[in-house]
Amino acid sequence: MTHNFQAIALLLIVSFCGLHTANALAQEVSAPTPVQMDYFGITTPDKLSAATKRALQWKHLANDWYIQFQTYDLKGDLAFESGVVRRDPSAVIQENGKYYVWYSRSVGPSQGFGGDVEIDKVFPWDRCDIWYATSTDGWTWKEEGLAVPRGEMGAYDDRSVFTVEIMKFEGQYYLCYQTVKSPYNVRVKNQVGLAWADSPDGPWTKSPEPILSPANNGIWKGEEQNRFLVEKKGDFDSHKVHDPCILPFKGKFYLYYKGEQMGEEVNFGGRMIRHGVAIADEPRGPYIKSPYNPISNSGHEVCVWPYNGGIASLITTDGPERNTIQWSPDGINFEIMSHLRDAPHAIGLNRSADNEKEPTEILRWGLTHQYRSGDYHFIRRFSSHRMSHHTAKGEEAAK
Ligand code: AAL
């Protein structure tokens, strides 16, 4: 008797939920037009699967933002070198008849956070300095040496300077990069520093203070070195501001960055990483964070470029919108323009490209990094090509 009652109750609940869901979905889409039926290959217009209902709501995305990537080894000093970490290449700029790139460089293996963080190297990007290299063809690189070293003991950048980007503006060169102050424990806050020079070969003058810091409104729970224990998470960038990239835009300077939050969570099968922007009237700042932050709900390393009066952004690695290219008319409100199969990480764009030629021209080639092991990372080259149709081998010739 009890069992019967439970079974009937369950049946009622299930059928109510089923009906409710089916009705809700049915109300969301109107009947497909004959053109839609042909395009989506719909057989029975009154029997639409959930996937077909979603497809009927797709925005039409033209194919001119869709690309596929290949990656290659570099030659010369940037080829993989045992015992040396080279990673997070900046954009490539062309000066004095050569390409220039800056990157994070450190030596030796990392020990992680299990030992004494005062002595150990906790990450491959810990105890880094910023080095640079030049090349005439973008394939064979000559390491030129140190560009920006870590600061002196007690400075905001005394532990590591890394993940650098380059901007040239009115004859001046600007490097913006991540900074960490010792001790590098799991709760340490990361900031952004800036250095400037009259020549890409330096000498570089460092800003005495960071130009960007994490939001100060998260609250750690207890004293334990545990970055997941919080009373309050705070803003999307309450823990770290990473991957800075400054673009001149609409008469101002837009500093795009990745935020990490105190008490970071995992969502949509990846880390909960988002991007923000801070805007200044002058290249050296002060940079004021946009009240619209975060400006992405996905992504990892920042990869942004000007296009058609707005800003384009390649979103990789984390979040529901990973592997998309997005575009925004105002540098803040981004819409998805294409979904990609995959994308290289930590891209250094070729800023000497004609970025207005087509949406993804700036991605025809550039630099990226790859992990050889947990300890050693090296810089590689990528290229991309547009794909607007798919043919089998020999299919074109057979026409
Ligand atoms: C990268 C970047 C930042 C992080 C680390 C080095 O992918 O997001 O630079 O700090 O990893």
Side-chain angles (χ1 to χ4, degrees), residues 180-383:
V180 174
K181 182 172 169 31
S182 279
Y184 201 150
N185 54 43
V186 293
R187 284 188 170 182
V188 75
K189 300 253 175 168
N190 287 202
Q191 295 174 299
V192 171
L194 186 78
W196 52 87
D198 295 332
S199 150
D201 296 297
W204 297 93
T205 304
K206 283 201 221 177
S207 59
E209 298 295 332
I211 59 164
L212 196 72
S213 295
N216 204 14
N217 53 7
I219 304 168
W220 296 118
K221 188 175 194 167
E223 299 300 314
E224 189 191 330
Q225 278 299 320
N226 181 334
R227 69 190 172 96
F228 303 108
L229 279 184
V230 286
E231 300 280 358
K232 184 174 177 291
K233 290 174 187 294
D235 291 355
F236 83 103
D237 60 350
S238 57
H239 193 182
K240 297 179 179 180
V241 287
H242 273 177
D243 297 276
C245 176
I246 307 174
L247 294 181
F249 184 56
K250 295 192 191 289
K252 296 190 186 273
F253 298 88
Y254 279 51
L255 193 178
Y256 289 93
Y257 65 99
K258 167 191 132 192
E260 289 191 9
Q261 194 175 28
M262 292 163 59
E264 181 185 289
E265 304 227 13
V266 161
N267 79 342
F268 289 90
R271 296 174 62 192
M272 206 155 168
I273 299 282
R274 291 148 291 188
H275 293 167
V277 65
I279 300 166
D281 291 333
E282 303 294 334
R284 294 186 202 175
Y287 283 91
I288 311 292
K289 290 180 186 175
S290 167
Y292 291 96
N293 285 348
I295 56 163
S296 82
N297 58 31
S298 303
H300 203 93
E301 296 98 349
V302 166
C303 176
V304 285
W305 64 97
Y307 177 71
N308 194 24
I311 301 288
S313 174
L314 170 63
I315 296 286
T316 68
T317 318
D318 293 305
E321 295 179 3
R322 62 182 167 265
N323 295 339
T324 63
I325 304 182
Q326 311 196 357
W327 183 81
S328 125
D330 57 6
I332 287 172
N333 293 289
F334 286 84
E335 298 287 349
I336 294 173
M337 307 303 283
S338 64
H339 296 259
L340 307 178
R341 185 184 286 183
D342 51 25
H345 293 177
I347 278 183
L349 289 168
N350 170 21
R351 297 254 180 237
S352 69
D354 174 7
N355 55 297
E356 294 298 341
K357 190 173 159 204
E358 52 178 87
T360 61
E361 180 66 17
I362 201 166
L363 288 163
R364 280 302 84 80
W365 76 269
L367 300 179
T368 174
H369 69 204
Q370 196 160 312
Y371 285 31
R372 174 61 63 94
S373 66
D375 285 334
Y376 297 113
H377 312 155
F378 64 118
I379 297 178
R380 301 188 80 211
R381 175 167 163 141
F382 72 83
S383 66

Side-chain angles (χ1 to χ4, degrees), residues 66-222:
Y66 182 70
I67 51 177
Q68 290 189 358
F69 290 96
Q70 303 79 40
T71 52
Y72 309 91
D73 282 337
L74 292 175
K75 297 183 194 137
D77 295 338
L78 294 194
F80 175 75
E81 184 182 349
S82 177
V84 181
V85 176
R86 292 188 185 86
R87 52 171 291 144
D88 289 297
S90 73
V92 173
I93 61 167
Q94 210 170 12
E95 299 288 321
N96 313 319
K98 293 181 286 192
Y99 293 114
Y100 280 72
V101 67
W102 290 261
Y103 46 90
S104 317
R105 186 182 186 281
S106 68
V107 290
S110 344
Q111 289 76 41
F113 290 95
D116 182 352
V117 297
E118 298 278 1
I119 300 163
D120 291 341
K121 180 182 173 191
V122 299
F123 279 131
W125 49 89
D126 184 14
R127 303 191 187 279
C128 271
D129 301 293
I130 293 164
W131 285 53
Y132 76 116
T134 60
S135 169
T136 49
D137 62 3
W139 287 98
T140 304
W141 291 84
K142 174 176 182 294
E143 187 159 74
E144 300 284 355
L146 181 65
V148 179
R150 278 163 270 176
E152 286 173 7
M153 189 93 96
Y156 70 92
D157 59 350
D158 69 1
R159 179 68 179 235
S160 196
V161 289
F162 56 118
T163 312
V164 57
E165 262 302 341
I166 177 77
M167 173 181 75
K168 184 183 182 188
F169 185 76
E170 291 183 344
Q172 282 255 304
Y173 301 82
Y174 299 88
L175 294 177
C176 59
Y177 45 86
Q178 293 179 202
T179 63
V180 174
K181 182 172 169 31
S182 279
Y184 201 150
N185 54 43
V186 293
R187 284 188 170 182
V188 75
K189 300 253 175 168
N190 287 202
Q191 295 174 299
V192 171
L194 186 78
W196 52 87
D198 295 332
S199 150
D201 296 297
W204 297 93
T205 304
K206 283 201 221 177
S207 59
E209 298 295 332
I211 59 164
L212 196 72
S213 295
N216 204 14
N217 53 7
I219 304 168
W220 296 118
K221 188 175 194 167

